[in-house]
Amino acid sequence: MVKAIIKYFLKQLGYELISRKAPAQLYYELDWEFHDLYELAQEKCQMTKTDNTLRRQRHYTLNYLLKNAPLANGEVCELGCWRGLSAYQIAYHLRTAGAKNVFHIFDSFAGLSPFEAADIGQGGQDSTETRRKQFACPLETVADNLKEFSFIKYYKGWIPTRFSEVANHLFSLVHIDVDMYQPIADSFRFFYPRLVKEGIMIFDDYGCTQFPGAKKAVDECLREFHQPFFVPLPSGQAFLIKGLRD
Ligand SMILES: C[S@@+](CC[C@H](N)C(=O)[O-])C[C@H]1O[C@@H](n2cnc3c(N)ncnc32)[C@H](O)[C@@H]1O
């Protein structure tokens, strides 16, 4: 009874009571190193109230791909950071791994770019418009959320206006999370040639029917770059690894 009351009040505050003693179905559920980092990132980015299972699983995949990326051979870049939830975890991992690289973040800091015909999915134009504004977060807030990481460089602007500033860099991991057709296609075309061998490119929105432009952009670019090793995941993410078929 007491537990039920505590559970109820925590739920009102946006928290969920999870017992670490409860029988786990999967080793993923017991991966406290991941869950602790994810929850820390949520706190730093004021996102504890919007936690959900699918998002947690997507970040789990991101964390493990990051651990396998050839970080010594290239830098890391994120396209689309919103409040910094994924960026926090990426930066934390880079610091732990002792990587000496700059972590590059590109974002409008004004939400999603205007949608085109390719971007209108289930729920129609209205739902896309609502989400567009929902993802606006000022650069100052993100920089404050991530202030403990001095090696982050921010590029404020609409993709691809500031890409030329990293034209001479090489990348080991590129996380593309900008939802819409044009910036995803622009990001893929710019960063794929700059990805090192065995470098990883992650597409957060590939399988999301709400953002059909993401799948269209990625599928077109995969064909252009001769179908590299590519895996779509049940979470809606997808990733490719460069050079495995050379
Ligand atoms: C879904 S959010 C990113 C979420 C973040 N990666 C995370 O896991 O917490 C999408 C982000 O993409 C940015 N964005 C969308 N379209 C953009 C564009 N054309 N140019 C620059 N940034 C864009 C938005 O401002 C927003 O921050």
Side-chain angles (χ1 to χ4, degrees):
M1 180 66 178
V2 176
K3 200 170 162 189
I5 294 169
I6 294 172
K7 227 173 164 178
Y8 172 79
F9 282 111
L10 282 176
K11 202 170 176 203
Q12 300 308 305
L13 292 169
Y15 293 98
E16 193 184 347
L17 191 64
I18 301 169
S19 167
R20 294 194 174 196
K21 288 184 188 144
Q25 303 289 321
L26 299 165
Y27 286 115
Y28 152 74
E29 294 167 38
L30 297 170
D31 190 337
W32 298 117
E33 186 192 334
F34 161 69
H35 293 295
D36 287 347
L37 172 57
Y38 175 78
E39 283 162 21
L40 175 67
Q42 283 194 132
E43 275 168 36
K44 297 279 183 178
C45 300
Q46 308 87 41
M47 290 182 71
T48 50
K49 290 189 181 170
T50 55
D51 188 18
N52 66 71
T53 308
L54 195 61
R55 190 173 79 189
R56 196 177 275 254
Q57 290 176 357
R58 290 211 309 273
H59 284 93
Y60 182 75
T61 306
L62 171 64
N63 271 270
Y64 274 85
L65 287 171
L66 193 55
K67 283 185 180 182
N68 283 282
L71 299 177
N73 301 339
E75 296 178 338
V76 174
C77 176
E78 178 168 78
L79 296 306
C81 64
W82 191 18
R83 304 190 63 82
L85 182 64
S86 47
Y88 187 92
Q89 294 165 80
I90 292 171
Y92 189 97
H93 181 73
L94 292 176
R95 186 175 65 190
T96 307
K100 299 276 184 285
N101 294 333
V102 174
F103 172 25
H104 307 266
I105 295 181
F106 290 82
D107 203 294
S108 64
F109 297 100
L112 309 183
S113 49
F115 56 87
E116 301 169 7
D119 297 308
I120 300 171
Q122 289 174 11
Q125 188 161 321
D126 288 348
S127 73
T128 314
E129 273 297 289
T130 309
R131 293 206 80 179
R132 227 190 122 188
K133 289 168 197 144
Q134 176 199 330
F135 288 121
C137 182
L139 170 55
E140 294 69 27
T141 305
V142 181
D144 193 51
N145 293 347
L146 305 176
K147 60 176 176 281
E148 66 195 87
F149 308 108
S150 56
F151 52 89
I152 297 180
K153 186 163 182 202
Y154 299 94
Y155 303 83
K156 181 177 175 174
W158 295 105
I159 290 169
T161 48
R162 299 195 60 188
F163 280 1
S164 59
E165 294 173 49
V166 293
N168 297 325
H169 293 238
L170 291 175
F171 296 89
S172 54
L173 183 131
V174 176
H175 184 221
I176 302 180
D177 191 3
V178 282
D179 299 19
M180 314 298 267
Y181 173 81
Q182 198 57 53
I184 294 175
D186 287 341
S187 302
F188 194 136
R189 290 190 178 109
F190 180 84
F191 284 99
Y192 187 81
R194 292 168 175 81
L195 206 57
V196 298
K197 185 169 165 59
E198 295 179 11
I200 301 173
M201 191 176 265
I202 306 166
F203 310 97
D204 189 73
D205 315 299
Y206 179 78
C208 185
T209 55
Q210 216 172 352
F211 294 112
K215 185 173 189 311
K216 183 173 158 50
V218 173
D219 286 344
E220 282 176 12
C221 293
L222 286 170
R223 281 194 291 277
E224 272 173 49
F225 290 102
H226 313 294
Q227 302 291 358
F229 178 91
F230 175 76
V231 183
L233 299 169
S235 63
Q237 286 162 304
F239 69 92
L240 67 76
I241 302 180
K242 189 175 177 181
L244 291 191
R245 294 202 168 127
D246 295 349

